Amino acid sequence: MSPRVGLSVLLDDDLRAAQLPLFEEGIVEAIEWTIDLEMPAPGWAAPEWVGPLLAAYAAEGALYAHGVHFSPLSAVLEERQRAWLEEARIVVARRGPRHVSEHFGVMTAPGFSRGAPLPQPFTAAVTRVGRDRLAQIADAVERPVGVENLALAMSRDDALAHGDQIGALVADADRFVVLDLHNLFCQA
């Protein structure tokens, strides 16, 4: 399949207003839906306009799901992550995306549940944990699972190693890479 140019659909009214002309011109080939947006408190529901938009892109095979808060490189698998897997299964079954991606970094540690995805050292142990977590996501959502490049790095050398680290995480499985151009720009 050839690459598609798309955008992430977020719920902010200003972003929606900025994106609307792109949808009207028919130049949005694909959309990314952050599944974590549907995992808040019970009773929360996406705005009315979201469902038809996601359904239209899903019908064209152009809806891609993205997770933000699973934290696939966290060394300890917490109950919060197990709950995330169950919620992801429900959201993916409801929305029907082609695949699911996650940032390849770490966002949580005991006592710290959310933050910007940070890189982990490129080691065999970190790679093992990452591959295991990606497999758990794939088992939960029953879709191909991939990783997205990070915006943050600890140093120039760390940024340059991200490609090899991502390659190691997606090797030898039904995995893929999401190249986020904004994140690439941040690292440059």
Side-chain angles (χ1 to χ4, degrees):
M1 174 177 34
S2 61
R4 291 181 170 168
V5 177
L7 51 81
S8 185
V9 173
L10 300 173
L11 302 179
D12 181 85
D13 288 335
D14 291 337
L15 286 173
R16 181 178 174 215
Q19 293 174 346
L20 188 58
L22 303 174
F23 284 110
E24 289 172 346
E25 290 179 47
I27 60 175
V28 179
E29 299 173 333
I31 58 174
E32 175 187 78
W33 176 242
T34 302
I35 58 177
D36 300 72
L37 292 173
E38 293 192 72
M39 296 182 189
W44 182 90
E48 288 183 25
W49 58 267
V50 170
L53 178 67
L54 299 180
Y57 276 82
E60 295 296 320
L63 175 63
Y64 299 88
H66 182 63
V68 177
H69 294 124
F70 180 69
S71 192
L73 297 187
S74 292
V76 175
L77 186 65
E78 297 178 313
E79 184 54 40
R80 177 201 62 76
Q81 289 165 295
R82 289 184 186 88
W84 186 97
L85 290 169
E86 178 57 24
E87 290 295 322
R89 182 190 65 74
I90 294 166
V91 173
V92 167
R94 177 173 51 247
R95 298 298 185 191
R98 292 181 65 98
H99 66 232
V100 177
S101 61
E102 236 303 354
H103 291 95
F104 84 92
V106 60
M107 295 184 66
T108 64
F112 180 73
S113 64
R114 290 189 180 175
L118 298 173
Q120 285 282 63
F122 184 16
T123 66
V126 169
T127 300
R128 256 190 324 277
V129 166
R131 285 182 177 179
D132 175 69
R133 299 303 190 271
L134 293 176
Q136 289 183 39
I137 295 171
D139 288 345
V141 301
E142 299 178 339
R143 300 277 195 291
V145 171
V147 292
E148 178 181 317
N149 58 306
L150 296 179
L152 302 174
M154 298 300 182
S155 67
R156 181 180 189 278
D157 290 341
D158 183 43
L160 293 173
H162 282 186
D164 290 335
Q165 189 171 18
I166 290 171
L169 289 170
V170 301
D172 304 325
D174 186 18
R175 304 283 183 262
F176 59 89
V177 176
V178 173
L179 179 61
D180 183 310
L181 298 179
H182 171 262
N183 291 355
L184 188 63
F185 177 78
C186 289
Q187 288 209 0

